[in-house]
Amino acid sequence: MPKTGLEHDNLYQKYERDATGWKVLRNGFVHESDKIEKAVKLVGKDGLLRYDQSKIRVTLFGLGRIGTVWIERILRNPRLQLVYCVEPCVERANYFEYMYNLKDVKMIHPNSQDEVFSDPDVDAVIIGTPTSSHEYLVLKSINSGKAVMCEKPLADKLESVDKIFKLAIQRNLPFLTAMNRRFDPSFRSIRKRVKKGEIGKVHIIKTTHRDHPGHPASYLKGSAGIFLDSAIHDIDLVCWVIGEYPVTVIASGSAFDEEIGAMGDYDTVVIVLKFPSGAMGTIDVTRSSAYGYDERLEVFGSLGMLTGPSVRPTYVTLDSESGSTTVPYHYNHISRFAESYTNELEHFVDCIKGLKEVEVKPMEVMAATKIAQACKESARTGRPFELTWKESWSYSRNNEE
Ligand SMILES: NC(=O)c1ccc[n+]([C@@H]2O[C@H](COP(=O)([O-])OP(=O)(O)OC[C@H]3O[C@@H](n4cnc5c(N)ncnc54)[C@H](O)[C@@H]3O)[C@@H](O)[C@H]2O)c1
C-alpha cells in the first residue's frame, strides 16, 4: 500500500487497492461529490449496491448572505429537496428564483409562513434570518415537528437558548446550531490532535478573527453585538478544541468606526480566558480588515504547537526584482469556510437520517452564549468576570459529551 509518510495527518488521503479499484480510506480532503456519493451509497445484505433515493424535504428561511450559502448547497445535495423559501424582501426572492431557477420551489412571504409549519411534507427547516427572529422560528418549527438547523447566535438570552434545547429534546428532533468553524477540516484536525496529546498539556490557545468586507449597518444593528454575533464562533471553537470552559473572562473593545460606536457596539475586541487547567486563551476579533478574511487558530502546549493558519484562495506567489507577492486572503466567510458549510450541511442531513448524533451539544451552545454575555459585560464595566459551571442545565437524551 502506498504511504504518504504523514500517517498522523488526516488531511492526506491514504489509498488501498482492493478488488473494486482504489478506495479512499481517510477522507479529510475528498472532493464533495465523493463524499455525497459515499453518503447515499447503500450496500444491501445481498451485497448489491443501491442508492438511498429518499429525499429530505427542506424549507429555507432567509435569502440573505448566509441564505446564499445554504441554497447553493441544498440544491446540489441529492439527499435534499428544497420545497419552500421564506423571505420578506420581494426583490431578493425574485433574484433567487431567477438565479437558481427555483420553478418548483414555493416562494413565501413570512406573513404566510404558517403554510410551511402546517405542511406535513416539510421534514426540516434551515434558518438563516436575522438573529432576533431565531427563537420564534425555531420554537415554531420544532413544535411543528421539523428538524432544524439554525444560525448562530440562537438568541441573545440564555433563557431563550435553554427553552429551545429543552423543546428540541422533549420533541426528540434533530437540532443543529450552526457553529460553522467546527466543520473546518484544519480546526477539526487540530482538535483531534490536541485530544490525542500530540502537543502535551495545553498552555495557550489563541484565535484571530478578522472579518471582511465589513457589514451593512442594518445587519449590525440587529446582530446582538460583536461578542454574541461574531466572537461566539471563536469562543465556541476555543472551548471545543481544549474541552474546558473558562473560569475567568476579561474583554475589552473599541469602536474605530463611528457608526458602530453610535450603536453602542465595538468593531474591535480582545478577550482573555483562563481555564481550570491553567490554560489561557486569547481571542481578537475585528469587524473588518483591509486585507481580506483572516481567521487563525494556534494551540501551544508542553510538547509543541499546532497552527491552523489563515487560508488564501490560491498559493501562487510572484517573485520579482521588487520583492515577492501573493494573492490576498479570502474575500469573505463564504469563500473561506466553503468546505465547512458543506460539511455542516452534510452533518445535519446525517443527523436527520439517524446516521450521526448532533455534534454541537446543548451545553456547549449554552456555555458559548454565557461566555459571550460575560465578555460583553466585562467590556462594558472594565472588570474581569468570574464564571461558574455548576448550573443545572441538564439535557438528557445522551446529547452531552
Ligand atoms: N455561521 C456563519 O458563518 C454565519 C455567517 C453569516 C451570518 N450568520 C448568521 O445568519 C443570520 C443571517 O445573517 P445574514 O448575514 O445572512 O443576514 P442578511 O441580512 O444578509 O440576510 C437575512 C435575510 O433574512 C430575511 N428575513 C428577515 N426576516 C425574515 C423572516 N422573518 N423570515 C424569513 N426571512 C427573513 C431578510 O430579508 C434577509 O434577506 C444571522 O443570525 C447571522 O448571525 C452566520
Side-chain angles (χ1 to χ4, degrees), residues 44-225:
K45 283 189 184 135
D46 52 9
L48 294 177
L49 186 67
R50 294 185 182 84
Y51 290 94
D52 176 4
Q53 291 180 2
S54 63
K55 288 188 190 284
I56 294 163
R57 291 164 53 97
V58 66
T59 293
L60 175 61
F61 281 85
L63 302 179
R65 290 173 300 168
I66 205 72
T68 312
V69 167
W70 295 128
I71 201 154
E72 289 179 353
R73 285 159 178 77
I74 294 168
L75 292 176
R76 64 177 190 245
N77 193 312
R79 298 197 286 173
L80 294 174
Q81 185 190 346
L82 183 63
V83 280
Y84 294 93
C85 285
V86 185
E87 167 61 51
C89 172
V90 177
E91 291 81 23
R92 198 75 192 152
N94 287 345
Y95 167 73
F96 266 60
E97 201 170 5
Y98 166 74
M99 177 75 183
Y100 297 103
N101 198 15
L102 303 179
K103 282 196 217 82
D104 299 327
V105 177
K106 207 159 178 189
M107 307 301 277
I108 284 193
H109 188 277
N111 291 343
S112 314
Q113 67 194 15
D114 280 349
E115 191 180 333
V116 173
F117 299 124
S118 58
D119 186 339
D121 285 339
V122 174
D123 307 303
V125 305
I126 295 179
I127 299 171
T129 57
T131 297
S132 58
S133 59
H134 290 177
E135 182 181 356
Y136 175 79
L137 290 174
V138 169
L139 294 175
K140 193 85 187 155
S141 305
I142 300 173
N143 271 325
S144 314
K146 321 293 184 204
V148 180
M149 179 168 97
C150 181
E151 276 306 335
K152 51 38 69 181
L154 288 186
D156 57 357
K157 291 191 191 71
L158 269 180
E159 304 79 67
S160 304
V161 179
D162 185 44
K163 202 162 144 191
I164 288 171
F165 282 120
K166 287 207 171 112
L167 185 66
I169 288 161
Q170 189 199 334
R171 296 296 301 261
N172 200 19
L173 288 163
F175 179 81
L176 177 63
T177 314
M179 290 296 195
N180 142 275
R181 306 307 194 259
R182 294 190 184 205
F183 298 90
D184 176 73
S186 301
F187 297 162
R188 284 179 88 79
S189 170
I190 288 177
R191 177 181 187 250
K192 209 166 164 185
R193 294 169 70 171
V194 165
K195 283 196 148 203
K196 267 169 71 187
E198 285 188 49
I199 57 161
K201 190 173 162 54
V202 173
H203 292 183
I204 296 173
I205 176 161
K206 44 203 269 200
T207 69
T208 286
H209 173 178
R210 298 190 184 144
D211 218 332
H212 185 268
H215 303 266
S218 54
Y219 173 87
L220 294 173
K221 275 186 195 137
S223 74

Side-chain angles (χ1 to χ4, degrees), residues 280-351:
M280 284 165 289
T282 63
I283 293 170
D284 66 81
V285 182
T286 64
R287 280 293 197 183
S288 73
S289 121
Y291 59 85
Y293 194 96
D294 178 13
E295 170 109 20
R296 293 171 247 152
L297 169 67
E298 180 188 295
V299 196
F300 171 82
S302 53
L303 300 178
M305 177 173 75
L306 285 159
T307 310
S310 206
V311 178
R312 299 181 194 276
T314 78
Y315 285 86
V316 175
T317 55
L318 166 71
D319 297 300
S320 71
E321 60 182 7
S322 51
S324 302
T325 55
T326 183
V327 299
Y329 293 129
H330 278 281
Y331 179 72
N332 60 13
H333 61 90
I334 297 179
S335 56
R336 163 61 184 88
F337 288 109
E339 185 164 18
S340 323
Y341 290 122
T342 303
N343 293 343
E344 190 175 26
L345 185 62
E346 286 303 330
H347 179 64
F348 182 50
V349 175
D350 281 344
C351 293

